[in-house]
Amino acid sequence: MENTEDDDMPVLSGSALDALKEFYKDRDAHQQKFEDLKQRAEDQADGVPLTMDAFAEDWNESQFWYSNETATILAQELLRDAVAETVIAVVSAPSVFIQLKNIVAGWAADKRPTLHLLEFDERFGVFPEFSFYDFNNPMKLPAHLKGCADRVICDPPFLSEECQTKASLTVRWLSKSWGQNESLMSWGQEEAPPSKLIVCTGERVGDIVNKLYRPQGIATTTFLPVHAKGLSNEFFCFANFECEHWTWRKSDGEK
């Protein structure tokens, strides 16, 4: 009896084969780009800026990268007047982390602040500053990070009140001086805030954000973050300081 198994095997058309070859070609090219990035992350000495190109967005994980301009502005403000002893924590905002890396690459090694990236996406484990972070376990982090940060930026991955609240617990856990800003404000003092805090998230959770971070003196700013591929939700920037890129947004009753 003849073997008919080969006859039952599906046969791809020429166009399907071409599409499959193109898929594998793109996959291999992406993998090579990722390996190159890994090498550069370990030794950023080639002078070529890092980019987010190797990290495709996963919308199911609520990944929406900032535009280069937005990420650079946020990084610049986190680095303003920073010194070697400054510690900057980046929570769920990897595109800002990339720009921080690019900027400090041009600084003398002994002048660079310490950077920490807290991120769910383990692809960013190519960077030595990476720590895995899941907002569902807001304080399940390396012990040495507790109370370490002079400056924090946080972009909670989801707009739910649960996510916003748990992310704020992480920020509080990281912050070296939680609550000092509110103390300064209550006494009417005008000294520079003891720590910098930036939170970027949807406009519709603004009331929640301002409540959660009130101890840090946070307020809605005039700066509107832009995402590289657009975003349907209106996005706001909240901070506990004003700078050349933003001021605090006035309420409707203020002039």
Side-chain angles (χ1 to χ4, degrees):
M1 183 175 179
E2 294 184 1
N3 188 338
T4 61
E5 288 185 4
D6 290 342
D7 295 335
D8 295 333
M9 291 290 290
V11 178
L12 295 177
S13 66
S15 59
L17 282 172
D18 289 341
L20 186 61
K21 290 177 182 178
E22 188 66 24
F23 169 79
Y24 284 121
K25 180 181 178 182
D26 290 345
R27 185 196 64 179
D28 292 344
H30 185 79
Q31 182 62 32
Q32 184 59 51
K33 184 185 294 185
F34 191 76
E35 291 300 323
D36 292 344
L37 176 63
K38 183 177 180 180
Q39 182 60 44
R40 287 169 52 204
E42 294 172 352
D43 182 13
Q44 195 179 3
D46 56 11
V48 179
L50 299 169
T51 73
M52 294 295 288
D53 291 347
F55 303 98
E57 295 175 341
D58 184 347
W59 291 2
N60 291 323
E61 296 294 339
S62 192
Q63 290 182 332
F64 305 96
W65 308 147
Y66 297 132
S67 68
N68 284 337
E69 181 181 7
T70 288
T72 300
I73 286 173
L74 294 170
Q76 287 172 339
E77 292 307 329
L78 288 167
L79 287 170
R80 191 176 300 279
D81 300 322
V83 295
E85 293 75 24
T86 303
V87 178
I88 301 173
V90 180
V91 183
S92 302
S95 52
V96 176
F97 171 77
I98 291 294
Q99 292 307 321
L100 286 168
K101 292 275 288 183
N102 285 334
I103 294 172
V104 301
W107 294 17
D110 61 348
K111 302 294 184 182
R112 297 174 187 173
T114 298
L115 305 178
H116 294 291
L117 173 64
L118 282 63
E119 172 59 40
F120 183 81
D121 189 341
E122 295 189 271
R123 291 179 298 172
F124 290 95
V126 297
F127 298 104
E129 300 92 342
F130 170 85
S131 293
F132 177 77
Y133 170 66
D134 182 350
F135 79 88
N136 290 298
N137 299 293
M139 290 171 283
K140 190 177 181 180
L141 292 162
H144 70 276
L145 296 180
K146 184 176 182 179
C148 75
D150 302 289
R151 303 173 182 193
V152 181
I153 183 169
C154 179
D155 183 344
F158 300 100
L159 297 181
S160 68
E161 184 171 356
E162 177 190 15
C163 180
Q164 298 289 328
T165 300
K166 288 182 176 179
S168 73
L169 291 175
T170 302
V171 172
R172 178 171 185 164
W173 188 86
L174 290 167
S175 297
K176 188 178 293 184
S177 57
W178 182 269
Q180 287 188 24
N181 293 52
E182 185 177 50
S183 176
L184 286 175
M185 293 174 68
S186 66
W187 283 95
Q189 299 181 34
E190 297 182 356
E191 289 90 339
S195 62
K196 283 187 174 182
L197 172 62
I198 302 172
V199 178
C200 295
T201 189
E203 177 272 339
R204 67 183 178 89
V205 295
D207 289 343
I208 296 173
V209 170
N210 283 311
K211 178 181 178 181
L212 290 171
Y213 298 98
R214 185 173 295 130
Q216 288 297 83
I218 206 168
T220 311
T221 75
T222 54
F223 181 64
L224 299 177
V226 174
H227 292 79
K229 296 184 179 180
L231 196 64
S232 59
N233 298 319
E234 190 170 10
F235 225 71
F236 274 12
C237 173
F238 306 82
N240 66 345
F241 63 97
E242 295 180 298
C243 59
E244 68 177 68
H245 290 110
W246 62 70
T247 58
W248 285 316
R249 187 181 294 265
K250 295 180 179 179
S251 63
D252 294 338
E254 294 180 300
K255 293 184 179 180

